[in-house]
Amino acid sequence: MLLPQTSGVLENFWSKILTLPQKQWLLRQLEQQAKTEVGSIQLKYFASQHQFQSGSYHRVCDRLPNLLTVLQTRKGWVLGGFTDMPMGDRSTPSACSFIFSVNRERVMPLKPGRTATQNEYSYGPVFGSENDIRVDRDSVSTNYHVLNATYQRVEVEGVPNKEVLMGGMLEDLVEYEVFEVGFNKPVE
């Protein structure tokens, strides 16, 4: 159940990708993982408006903390990640970073002591030092299933590990959106 304050956030949570139930699920995950209420959520980057150019992504999103990235593949998979640290920041350990599959309603938290993101100018968003999720122009690849992945593995009965985030390891993107999340108190 969403907290009363979060329901107001929901009204301003514009997304071309997410349905209302998906937004509600994702807001609950943000609050559970961050252990605080979401106060605002603002669209910062819409990939198709920038022709999926990695340089545009970095100009808009680098140095911003509390970024939620939502990806949609041509086959209908919706996945992404959240980090409280600016993309690629290795100077401070992350208090709250995770990747997720909306279709499977699964969240994979960052393993302790691991680097949440990478900041490689030739790519869009990259979650995990092992490329657990990596956007390469208009495609997304996942390496989440490898043993030394950066994010904790989650088992889904009857689903091979390499298909937990999306139906395969490489998919064409239809769109991705990046949001800046404001919390009502610091992330724990």
Side-chain angles (χ1 to χ4, degrees):
M1 174 135 189
L2 289 173
L3 299 169
Q5 192 143 4
T6 305
S7 62
V9 172
L10 193 58
E11 294 170 11
N12 297 312
F13 187 176
W14 182 91
S15 173
K16 181 179 172 185
I17 297 172
L18 298 168
T19 65
L20 179 60
Q22 290 172 332
K23 290 176 190 177
Q24 291 170 324
W25 178 81
L26 200 46
L27 284 172
R28 279 193 305 272
Q29 303 315 307
L30 281 164
E31 290 182 342
Q32 287 173 7
Q33 296 295 317
K35 298 178 180 78
T36 186
E37 295 175 357
V38 172
S40 64
I41 190 159
Q42 181 182 11
L43 181 67
K44 289 293 189 180
Y45 183 81
F46 196 62
S48 63
Q49 284 185 334
H50 297 272
Q51 291 79 46
F52 292 88
Q53 296 290 322
S54 62
S56 296
Y57 162 78
H58 288 283
R59 276 190 298 282
V60 173
C61 299
D62 281 2
R63 294 179 303 281
L64 294 176
N66 297 329
L67 291 182
L68 172 68
T69 302
V70 179
L71 314 164
Q72 181 181 32
T73 73
R74 197 161 307 288
K75 292 182 180 176
W77 290 95
V78 178
L79 66 152
F82 171 80
T83 182
D84 59 330
M85 304 302 298
M87 279 292 181
D89 185 337
R90 297 171 188 261
S91 62
T92 309
S94 172
C96 180
S97 291
F98 60 91
I99 58 177
F100 57 86
S101 170
V102 172
N103 300 66
R104 299 202 193 279
E105 294 190 346
R106 295 291 193 273
V107 170
M108 301 83 170
L110 182 67
K111 290 177 181 175
R114 301 302 296 265
T115 301
T117 62
Q118 295 182 49
N119 196 7
E120 296 184 32
Y121 202 74
S122 57
Y123 297 110
V126 179
F127 287 88
S129 57
E130 302 300 323
N131 296 323
D132 295 47
I133 296 176
R134 183 181 75 197
V135 172
D136 187 358
R137 195 155 166 74
D138 60 356
S139 68
V140 60
S141 60
T142 64
N143 226 5
Y144 161 75
H145 62 283
V146 298
L147 289 176
N148 60 343
T150 310
Y151 290 86
Q152 296 174 19
R153 288 172 72 160
V154 173
E155 303 293 325
V156 177
E157 189 174 333
V159 178
N161 280 335
K162 65 183 178 183
E163 296 179 9
V164 168
L165 282 170
M166 58 184 190
M169 293 170 37
L170 179 66
E171 298 272 345
D172 291 334
L173 281 174
V174 172
E175 188 62 80
Y176 74 92
E177 303 165 338
V178 181
F179 302 89
E180 187 174 22
V181 180
F183 292 100
N184 290 340
K185 63 179 185 174
V187 175
E188 295 178 13

